[in-house]
Amino acid sequence: MKILGIESSCDETAAAIVEDGETVLSSVVASQLDVHQKYGGVVPELASREHLRAITPVVREAMREAGTAFGDLAAVAVTEGPGLVGSLLVGMTYAKAICLTHRLPLIGVNHIEGHIHAVVLEHRSQLLLPALALVVSGGHTHLFSVAEDWQYRLLGRTRDDAAGEAFDKVAKLLGFGYPGGPVIDQLAPHGNPTAIRFTSPNMKGNANDFSFSGIKTAVRYWVEGEDLASEIAARRELLRAVSKPSVEQWMRVTPQRTLDLLASFQHAVVTDLLRRAEKAAAAIGARSMIVSGGVASNQGLRKAARERGFAFPVFFPTPALATDNAVMIAAAAFPKLQRGDLATFALKAKANLALA
Ligand code: KG4
Ligand code: ZN
């Protein structure tokens, strides 16, 4: 059963065909990074416009790559939320139009469940349930329990910034542009992770919750105290000259103290994520852990997870499936199709859709 997945919740227009929830026949992702980069973050109005431009070629390319005709599809799956409503609407309307024209069933998928299925798709046979899922991206930092029947329970979430958002804000403050996660990830190994000690917040009420606004503020104070104006200006200048600087180019305009700051920041965030995830996993008797979302591509997080010696296996998606894509949407839709959990044409885009 081939499912066409469509994803347009943020700044990536994506389409993919996945067979039986696990065989990837095609995956196309059109990134809008170049459009948003100069604004230092995603501009919702520009995102909708770019989705409109990209959706037809992206879906066509996914169909072509898979050698599939619309008539061969078992269903069309689309992200219904959470995300930017104007962006979601583009994918949603397009998916409905295909379903209407070709008389196909429509399936609505929660973007967060999609991130979880990026891992399920690749590790189904080793993944023991119940599992603890840590979804860390630019919009979410959530801990869920995943039960045997694929029911989710929210155990904790960020009370302010998402982890990826903290990476992005720190990078922006320091002149590294947007998105910040990949740049910090590449530069952190060149710094000393214990040079600056950031304290992990004490979350009153629910120790499974996260908060990253404190560390962001601590970085801002550090930057003001060290007077980094000239190196920040040099990095902004580099970004104007080169749209995607190499590590070597960044290193030339980044002194050791700033590399130490980046390493210490990443170390603090990664340690906090894993510490809370480990505690929550123990509390639910998890037999495995799923880490997914854009921040799951972080090499420091992967290394720390390997070295921490968890009592259960920890699964990450391949980097291409960690950030937003449509493979994960088609994969998450497969069990829904099997259960007959179909949507009607009344399906709406929901900016704040919760998973549990
Ligand atoms: O899952 P995603 O593509 O979109 C959302 O659903 O938000 O995640 C994007 C986020 C951005 O905040 C980006 O900076 C972060 O994931 N990210 C990373 C890395 N790659 C992407 N953060 C840390 N290290 C990375 N290697
Ligand atoms: Zn995402």
Side-chain angles (χ1 to χ4, degrees), residues 232-276:
I232 291 172
R235 285 190 288 268
R236 294 203 172 125
E237 190 55 43
L238 171 63
L239 255 188
R240 272 193 289 274
V242 189
S243 78
K244 226 175 160 270
S246 65
V247 175
E248 292 68 33
Q249 285 172 314
W250 281 129
M251 296 276 287
R252 261 179 247 136
V253 285
T254 308
Q256 192 59 44
R257 60 174 180 182
T258 305
L259 294 170
D260 289 348
L261 170 71
L262 296 178
S264 302
F265 164 77
Q266 177 168 295
H267 175 71
V269 172
V270 160
T271 308
D272 188 71
L273 288 172
L274 293 180
R275 185 174 65 84
R276 290 185 206 274

Side-chain angles (χ1 to χ4, degrees), residues 12 111 115 137-140 164-165 167-168 179-182 185 293-295 297-299 322-324:
E12 256 103 28
H111 181 83
H115 275 302
S137 72
H140 334 279
E165 198 178 350
F167 271 92
D168 294 338
D185 193 5
V295 181
S297 31
N298 187 273
Q299 292 303 324
T323 46
D324 289 349

